[in-house]
Amino acid sequence: MSIEIKISPNEGLYLKEPQDSKLGINIIKYSILMIDEYGFESFTFKKLAKEINSTEASIYRYFENKHLLLLFLVNWYWEWVSYLIEINTRNINDPRNKLRIIIHSFVSASKDNPGIVYVNESKLHNIVISEGMKAYHTKEVDKENSKGFFKSYKDLARSVSDVISEINPNFKYPFTLATNLFEMSNNQIFFAKHLPRLTDISGDTGEVNEVEEMLNYFVEKLLE
Amino acid sequence: MSIEIKISPNEGLYLKEPQDSKLGINIIKYSILMIDEYGFESFTFKKLAKEINSTEASIYRYFENKHLLLLFLVNWYWEWVSYLIEINTRNINDPRNKLRIIIHSFVSASKDNPGIVYVNESKLHNIVISEGMKAYHTKEVDKENSKGFFKSYKDLARSVSDVISEINPNFKYPFTLATNLFEMSNNQIFFAKHLPRLTDISGDTGEVNEVEEMLNYFVEKLLE
DNA sequence: TTTTAAATAATAGTATTACTATCACATAAA
DNA sequence: TTTATGTGATAGTAATACTATTATTTAAAA
């Protein structure tokens, strides 16, 4: 017996649910591998089609364009992190403890989790670090936001901000701190890998542990 | 009499110094206006050429491609912020005071500064907020970093981190805090404008002042 | 088991993007 | 006044980002 989890981002992101067919699952699986390997700009539906022995036109039946595919993947990641946070903090009452677990959940998410067969969570995390912000830094952000394409991230931010407010109800910036934990974590991991002069994270001991420690330190200082 | 400032990003970013000719200056001026208005992805050299009554081929004599043009603009911005910080903190000795001025300098940079005629600093700031991270979130970041294309940002981060270390020599993350001040500022301004559920910045009183206050609050808490 | 519907593959085609190359002309420095 | 140098005009190419059409396979319904 195995328990199946299905993570379902907003329906408007795709033309046809990719997680329900062989081809759709291949699109998800190999787009993650290819975006991670070659980067988002040089990733194309044509190359993906070739990789999975399909055609461009077939992929276009699932996703309108590669931007929406990226947004789908990033949403999938946010949903997955939300799921991890939920199960990891279940039955934990102390909010400080909760926030520590939250931080561990998203920083180490890719390291110590089984997950879903067709999603390489570790590579998806790399994509979120390297390309994630491109999912919302576009001229269409307002239109897409009104369609609910960022709901997953907003829900996640809200649940983290609730914990922050529980720790210190007088703290004026719970949402900012919540989103900044995510953005800062991704940024500093990226810097440690590519622009080390911009960070104190060395990457030697495994940047992930260092980042986790750092985020906990920041949180402690800010909420004391 | 007027004093002329010339801001000069790394030479490798362009094929021919754009600030030395009419056409080059037009490229800078109108690329800022057009990227701000239409966004980076739908900005092309062809459209720019049309706008300034020149040709694609002529623009390519200045910049290899639009990515390097963006990197040039972002570098220009960093150099400009560095310059502002330098003149604004001159003769200030107290490092806490210095850091406040630094924060004011880059958050309000575009608001209260004369600057250089062919650069609309306010719109350039918008570009840095909306598109800036695309300048380094690419697969070529390591190669470009080795050519010194990010030196301006690194120097800026170093000078801010020095002030942070002066305030509290025991603080373990001066570089991380320095870069996070920039990234967080840009991010939260972007969120306030487009994804308000992700931030506590309202944008009502002018998000810039709110952000400045918030950054000062964070710094105070973290360095006390 | 056959009919029918749905999904995919194969192929072709278009507009735009991201360039490169060549040549002619204007302008300005030697 | 020669000679660079910069710019414009024009053309062309390969790749990208799609759309459309038809044929074929696969799966569900009768």
Side-chain angles (χ1 to χ4, degrees):
Chain A
M1 192 196 83
S2 80
I3 293 154
E4 273 203 32
I5 319 152
K6 189 179 171 189
I7 284 175
S8 303
N10 188 301
E11 286 189 2
L13 290 164
Y14 46 80
L15 299 168
K16 191 155 73 171
E17 167 65 82
Q19 291 172 109
D20 283 351
S21 74
K22 190 97 208 295
L23 176 60
I25 283 171
N26 265 334
I27 292 173
I28 294 174
K29 180 172 176 182
Y30 287 92
S31 64
I32 291 171
L33 302 180
M34 291 179 81
I35 293 171
D36 178 51
E37 186 162 358
Y38 306 113
F40 183 63
E41 351 293 330
S42 70
F43 165 81
T44 71
F45 279 2
K46 193 167 199 170
K47 290 176 190 166
L48 173 61
K50 202 180 168 193
E51 181 79 20
I52 62 181
N53 292 311
S54 180
T55 64
E56 238 182 318
S58 298
I59 294 169
Y60 275 104
R61 283 196 207 96
Y62 284 86
F63 293 98
E64 266 180 70
N65 51 54
K66 72 174 181 171
H67 168 249
L68 285 173
L69 170 54
L70 178 65
L71 198 45
F72 176 89
L73 295 176
V74 170
N75 265 283
W76 199 99
Y77 175 81
W78 287 329
E79 287 286 336
W80 182 61
V81 167
S82 296
Y83 166 78
L84 288 178
I85 288 175
E86 210 210 301
I87 57 164
N88 290 340
T89 60
R90 212 168 265 173
N91 304 320
I92 304 284
N93 291 313
D94 175 39
R96 284 172 192 276
N97 201 358
K98 233 182 204 169
L99 193 50
R100 289 198 145 258
I101 293 172
I102 288 172
I103 288 170
H104 182 82
S105 295
F106 71 79
V107 172
S108 306
S110 56
K111 264 174 58 186
D112 39 39
N113 266 284
I116 285 161
V117 280
Y118 52 87
V119 173
N120 184 325
E121 285 88 1
S122 169
K123 295 196 171 174
L124 180 55
H125 189 199
N126 286 340
I127 290 175
V128 170
I129 289 168
S130 299
E131 319 282 359
M133 74 289 307
K134 294 174 191 170
Y136 45 93
H137 279 89
T138 71
K139 275 285 161 184
E140 292 77 38
V141 62
D142 297 326
K143 210 189 325 148
E144 292 178 351
N145 185 34
S146 72
K147 290 184 195 158
F149 291 0
F150 303 101
K151 188 171 179 299
S152 304
Y153 194 21
K154 289 192 265 185
D155 288 348
L156 178 55
R158 146 128 256 146
S159 77
V160 176
S161 81
D162 284 346
V163 177
I164 289 168
S165 292
E166 233 190 300
I167 296 173
N168 182 347
N170 296 316
F171 184 69
K172 279 169 70 183
Y173 307 106
F175 280 92
T176 293
L177 179 54
T179 53
N180 195 238
L181 288 177
F182 293 108
E183 305 285 334
M184 182 170 158
S185 163
N186 291 337
N187 245 308
Q188 297 294 316
I189 292 172
F190 185 85
F191 288 161
K193 265 191 220 154
H194 301 290
L195 299 162
R197 285 263 140 76
L198 294 177
T199 183
D200 305 285
I201 304 302
S202 74
D204 289 344
T205 61
E207 64 262 343
V208 152
N209 301 312
E210 279 179 76
V211 168
E212 185 175 345
E213 195 189 320
M214 182 190 73
L215 295 179
N216 280 310
Y217 177 81
F218 270 59
V219 161
E220 210 175 282
K221 280 276 176 185
L222 288 166
L223 298 182
E224 76 191 0
Chain B
M1 191 197 83
S2 80
I3 293 154
E4 273 202 32
I5 319 151
K6 190 180 171 188
I7 284 175
S8 303
N10 187 303
E11 286 189 2
L13 291 164
Y14 48 81
L15 299 168
K16 191 154 71 173
E17 166 65 82
Q19 292 172 109
D20 283 352
S21 75
K22 190 98 206 299
L23 177 60
I25 283 171
N26 266 333
I27 293 173
I28 294 174
K29 180 173 177 181
Y30 287 92
S31 64
I32 292 171
L33 302 181
M34 292 178 79
I35 293 172
D36 179 50
E37 186 161 358
Y38 307 113
F40 183 64
E41 351 292 330
S42 69
F43 165 81
T44 70
F45 279 2
K46 194 167 200 169
K47 291 176 189 166
L48 174 60
K50 202 180 169 193
E51 180 78 20
I52 61 180
N53 293 311
S54 179
T55 63
E56 238 183 317
S58 298
I59 295 169
Y60 274 104
R61 284 195 202 99
Y62 284 86
F63 293 99
E64 265 179 72
N65 51 56
K66 72 172 180 173
H67 168 249
L68 285 173
L69 170 55
L70 177 66
L71 198 45
F72 176 89
L73 294 176
V74 170
N75 265 283
W76 199 99
Y77 175 81
W78 287 329
E79 287 286 335
W80 181 61
V81 167
S82 295
Y83 166 79
L84 288 177
I85 287 174
E86 209 210 300
I87 58 165
N88 290 339
T89 59
R90 211 168 266 173
N91 304 320
I92 306 284
N93 290 312
D94 175 40
R96 284 173 193 275
N97 201 359
K98 234 182 202 168
L99 193 50
R100 290 197 144 257
I101 294 172
I102 287 172
I103 288 169
H104 181 82
S105 295
F106 72 79
V107 172
S108 306
S110 55
K111 264 174 58 186
D112 39 40
N113 266 284
I116 285 161
V117 280
Y118 52 87
V119 173
N120 184 325
E121 285 87 2
S122 169
K123 296 196 170 175
L124 181 54
H125 190 198
N126 287 340
I127 291 175
V128 170
I129 288 168
S130 299
E131 319 282 0
M133 75 289 307
K134 295 174 191 168
Y136 45 91
H137 279 90
T138 71
K139 275 286 161 184
E140 290 77 37
V141 61
D142 297 327
K143 210 190 324 151
E144 291 178 351
N145 185 34
S146 72
K147 288 184 194 158
F149 290 0
F150 303 100
K151 189 173 178 297
S152 303
Y153 194 20
K154 289 192 264 184
D155 288 349
L156 178 54
R158 146 127 255 146
S159 78
V160 176
S161 80
D162 283 347
V163 176
I164 289 168
S165 292
E166 233 191 301
I167 295 174
N168 181 347
N170 297 317
F171 185 70
K172 277 170 72 184
Y173 308 106
F175 280 93
T176 293
L177 179 54
T179 53
N180 195 239
L181 289 176
F182 293 108
E183 305 285 333
M184 181 171 161
S185 164
N186 290 336
N187 245 308
Q188 298 294 316
I189 291 172
F190 185 86
F191 288 161
K193 266 191 220 155
H194 302 290
L195 300 163
R197 286 262 140 76
L198 295 177
T199 183
D200 305 283
I201 303 301
S202 75
D204 289 344
T205 60
E207 65 263 340
V208 152
N209 301 314
E210 279 179 77
V211 169
E212 185 174 344
E213 196 189 320
M214 182 190 72
L215 296 178
N216 280 310
Y217 177 81
F218 270 58
V219 160
E220 210 176 280
K221 279 276 177 188
L222 288 166
L223 298 181
E224 76 191 357

